[in-house]
Amino acid sequence: MPRLIVLYKPPEDTDAFDAHYRDVHTPIVSRYPNLRDLRLSKLAGVGGRESEYYLMAEMAFDSAAELDEALSSEAGAASAKDLRNFAVAGATMFIAPDEADA
Amino acid sequence: MPRLIVLYKPPEDTDAFDAHYRDVHTPIVSRYPNLRDLRLSKLAGVGGRESEYYLMAEMAFDSAAELDEALSSEAGAASAKDLRNFAVAGATMFIAPDEADA
């Protein structure tokens, strides 16, 4: 399944970040049309180094077309807009197609 | 399943990167003890923006203990050393525990 993946940099106030993500952002993401799965992972570093990112959100869809549809939906726009409210430390996002071709 | 995740920045020469990843790096990673799954994704940007990363490698294990074991194995050391040979544009890595607690 193709995934939309967002990686969030460590926030200054993790409690406030977690609360906003849970109470405000997740309900918006849950409105994505055709969302099949939302997986959240609090990340840990490797070999004693801090992880560059704090949280990974993986949103899975049945097809690339449905992923695109979600991005251009009302919920997609609201989600992008909401990033400004809590992802102030920075975030990066990308699409992982459903393939293993490297 | 807990995952070790490595994200590679876009290489200058993608053909050389892909060839090294396939012919040299993947055989090393495949020697990780207890590796359950290696998933490779060539990443795409969102909304017309370039993805900050080119390739995502996800290595899944049955437990955090087995993941740690793989990292400290001979293959883990060889894999880390091999990064210098092809990941010159940069890479970041982290562990995604098997949970959804955000």
Side-chain angles (χ1 to χ4, degrees):
Chain A
M1 292 167 87
R3 286 171 290 166
L4 171 64
I5 298 179
V6 185
L7 290 165
Y8 296 92
K9 296 264 189 184
E12 276 201 30
D13 181 340
T14 54
D15 288 346
F17 179 98
D18 289 352
H20 188 99
Y21 200 95
R22 182 186 63 237
D23 299 335
V24 180
H25 200 67
T26 299
I28 296 173
V29 170
S30 303
R31 294 206 314 268
Y32 278 5
N34 304 309
L35 179 68
R36 290 291 169 244
D37 189 51
L38 166 62
R39 186 176 185 182
L40 301 173
S41 304
K42 293 272 185 75
L43 306 173
V46 177
R49 292 192 194 175
E50 294 280 310
S51 171
E52 195 176 331
Y53 298 101
Y54 170 70
L55 177 73
M56 175 169 64
E58 298 168 89
M59 288 141 280
F61 297 84
D62 283 336
S63 69
E66 292 194 348
L67 192 160
D68 286 344
E69 226 176 90
L71 283 172
S72 41
S73 70
E74 174 276 330
S79 170
K81 196 174 169 190
D82 185 49
L83 289 180
R84 288 175 228 156
N85 298 324
F86 73 101
V88 287
T92 191
M93 66 181 73
F94 47 77
I95 292 165
D98 192 10
E99 57 179 349
D101 65 350
Chain B
M1 293 166 88
R3 286 171 289 165
L4 171 63
I5 298 180
V6 185
L7 290 165
Y8 296 93
K9 295 263 190 185
E12 275 202 31
D13 182 340
T14 54
D15 288 346
F17 179 98
D18 289 351
H20 188 100
Y21 200 95
R22 183 186 62 236
D23 299 334
V24 180
H25 200 68
T26 299
I28 296 172
V29 170
S30 302
R31 295 205 314 267
Y32 279 4
N34 305 309
L35 179 67
R36 291 290 169 241
D37 188 51
L38 166 62
R39 185 176 187 182
L40 301 173
S41 304
K42 293 271 184 75
L43 306 173
V46 177
R49 292 193 194 173
E50 294 280 311
S51 171
E52 195 177 330
Y53 298 101
Y54 170 69
L55 177 74
M56 176 169 63
E58 298 168 88
M59 288 140 283
F61 297 85
D62 283 336
S63 69
E66 292 195 346
L67 192 160
D68 285 344
E69 226 175 89
L71 283 172
S72 40
S73 69
E74 174 276 331
S79 171
K81 197 174 168 191
D82 185 48
L83 289 180
R84 290 176 226 157
N85 299 323
F86 73 101
V88 287
T92 191
M93 67 182 73
F94 46 79
I95 292 164
D98 193 11
E99 55 176 352
D101 63 352

